[in-house]
Amino acid sequence: MTAIALNRHQNRTLPHFRALMGAAVAFVILAGCQSTELPRVAVAAAPLPVPSATIVPPKAPSKPLPPPAPAALIATVNELARGFDGKVGIAVRSIDRDWQVAANGDLPLPQQSVSKLWVAMAVLDARDQGRLTLDDPVTVTREDLTLFHQPIAAMVKGDGYKTTVSELLQRALTQSDNTANDRLLRFVGGPDAVRDFVRRKQLGTIRFGPGERLLQSQTAGLQWQSGFATGNSFIRARAQLPIETRVKAFDAYIADPPDGAAPVAIAGALAKLKRGTLLSPSSTQYLISTMESSKTGRQRLRGAVPEGWSVGHKTGTGQDLAGRTAGYNDVGILVAPDGRSYAIAVMIGDTPRPVAERQALMQSVVAAVVANHS
């Protein structure tokens, strides 16, 4: 490029260069007036953690513990059970103070006719639900007859004996009439209806068997036949069995009774009855007053009840074999003169001891309760 051309080019670009330099100087000056820190990017602050809150419900007031059972009663009951020759269970429950004394109390033992209580309760429960009344008519025919103790059998003639639910209850509970009880059992719906009652009311270890006919036949080693219901047919058939067959059936029954119940469960059920939590007030009063009028077992629990006290009870007695008895029982509600009450269950599942000693055991339990009542 010529000198003249170069001068012209410089003359044209110099103002532009000077303008750029001025802008740069201005930027440097302006920047020098600002903070030397780098610009910061705004970041949203993370929320502070909120402490989790645990809601603690207020504690329910503690239920006061029941007072302890009398030490002397505990010692006596245990000594009585240890000293008796047989398979025995005892339970005593204070209905008012809720303490309990037991020896072998959780052992399921044969109930025999004690189980009539659960039939009666199932009937009265059905009454409370409006499914029957005590005045409902019932006919007992020859086909209803069972075996062993059945006073009502003498009244069954022709087309049967016409009676009521109430009369059958009275006969079953106060006379331990087997036919009256089995007729009630069928009237209320059979064994399953009774088992349902026991389950619904949460009565614990209380089994209900198949009914008097099948229970007694199985215990003897026999198959039930309708002819066993009259005369001495059952006794004769049983006597003709080989002794080995009878012993095997007898021992099997005692080892695992289909009507087995624990004394503590029975005492607990009687306590519930007395407190009015099983049946309506009228049915409760009806059952307890009927138990108080019982005519069986006068020398069992009732034999040691002192003047001023009262007892409502239900007995149970099983079959004998070679001096042994499978089930000799009495359970009931003992009431003191001051109104306080006790549920008592004395159950002998198997024993060779004579009746007088069995009764003495039961009376000793009652005497111990009375002596420790305060």
Side-chain angles (χ1 to χ4, degrees):
M1 184 180 292
T2 65
I4 296 173
L6 178 60
N7 287 337
R8 289 176 180 172
H9 175 74
Q10 290 175 341
N11 290 339
R12 286 196 302 266
T13 60
L14 183 60
H16 181 66
F17 176 77
R18 289 174 178 170
L20 290 175
M21 290 299 292
V25 171
F27 175 81
V28 171
I29 294 171
L30 180 61
C33 297
Q34 304 298 320
S35 171
T36 58
E37 295 179 356
L38 294 174
R40 299 180 180 180
V41 178
V43 179
L48 294 175
V50 178
S52 59
T54 302
I55 300 175
V56 180
K59 289 184 178 181
S62 299
K63 184 179 179 180
L65 295 174
L73 180 60
I74 296 173
T76 300
V77 166
N78 282 305
E79 183 180 354
L80 288 171
R82 282 195 305 266
F84 189 80
D85 181 14
K87 194 174 184 179
V88 60
I90 302 171
V92 177
R93 191 180 191 100
S94 170
I95 297 174
D96 307 279
R97 299 186 176 180
D98 207 30
W99 51 253
Q100 180 172 274
V101 176
N104 298 326
D106 294 322
L107 185 65
L109 296 167
Q111 293 183 79
Q112 293 295 319
S113 287
V114 167
S115 64
K116 289 180 170 69
L117 279 175
W118 321 124
V119 176
M121 289 183 188
V123 170
L124 292 170
D125 181 61
R127 176 210 187 199
D128 292 341
Q129 296 176 30
R131 294 192 286 115
L132 59 82
T133 74
L134 296 181
D135 295 326
D136 281 353
V138 184
T139 300
V140 180
T141 67
R142 291 186 64 82
E143 286 71 31
D144 294 318
L145 299 182
T146 57
L147 69 172
F148 296 149
H149 190 64
Q150 47 178 342
I152 200 172
M155 303 178 180
V156 179
K157 299 182 167 92
D159 58 353
Y161 176 65
K162 301 187 184 307
T163 181
T164 64
V165 169
S166 179
E167 183 185 351
L168 290 177
L169 279 169
Q170 294 292 321
R171 288 181 175 276
L173 292 171
T174 66
Q175 300 178 31
S176 210
D177 190 307
N178 290 334
T179 290
N181 186 72
D182 268 19
R183 186 64 184 90
L184 279 174
L185 177 60
R186 286 191 290 280
F187 188 78
V188 80
D192 284 344
V194 178
R195 293 169 190 144
D196 177 67
F197 173 83
V198 171
R199 183 169 50 251
R200 281 190 292 110
K201 299 298 182 177
Q202 299 180 339
L203 300 187
T205 307
I206 296 175
R207 299 171 69 182
F208 188 81
E212 200 69 30
R213 296 169 172 177
L214 297 180
L215 180 71
Q216 300 303 341
S217 298
Q218 291 170 7
T219 303
L222 291 167
Q223 294 291 323
W224 171 257
Q225 299 177 24
S226 59
F228 289 164
T230 56
N232 291 322
S233 300
F234 181 86
I235 304 298
R236 291 197 301 269
R238 186 178 65 179
Q240 292 171 4
L241 289 173
I243 188 62
E244 295 81 6
T245 300
R246 292 195 59 193
V247 169
K248 182 179 179 180
F250 193 86
D251 287 343
Y253 170 67
I254 292 170
D256 186 21
D259 65 336
V264 293
I266 293 178
L270 292 174
K272 287 183 177 181
L273 173 67
K274 179 65 173 174
R275 291 171 184 154
T277 60
L278 285 186
L279 302 170
S280 69
S282 62
S283 290
T284 298
Q285 178 57 37
Y286 178 90
L287 180 53
I288 292 177
S289 63
T290 302
M291 292 168 64
E292 290 174 344
S293 64
S294 175
K295 298 177 177 61
T296 62
R298 294 185 181 276
Q299 294 305 313
R300 297 190 193 188
L301 294 180
R302 188 182 291 276
V305 177
E307 185 176 354
W309 292 63
S310 65
V311 67
H313 67 125
K314 184 68 197 78
T315 57
T317 307
Q319 296 183 49
D320 294 329
L321 176 61
R324 298 164 60 195
T325 300
Y328 191 89
N329 314 312
D330 203 4
V331 308
I333 300 170
L334 180 68
V335 183
D338 62 8
R340 285 165 46 205
S341 53
Y342 303 88
I344 301 176
V346 183
M347 306 180 71
I348 305 172
D350 180 18
T351 184
R353 304 311 304 161
V355 168
E357 291 186 21
R358 306 172 200 174
Q359 294 173 339
L361 171 68
M362 295 175 175
Q363 292 178 22
S364 295
V365 174
V366 172
V369 172
V370 172
N372 288 279
H373 175 74
S374 59

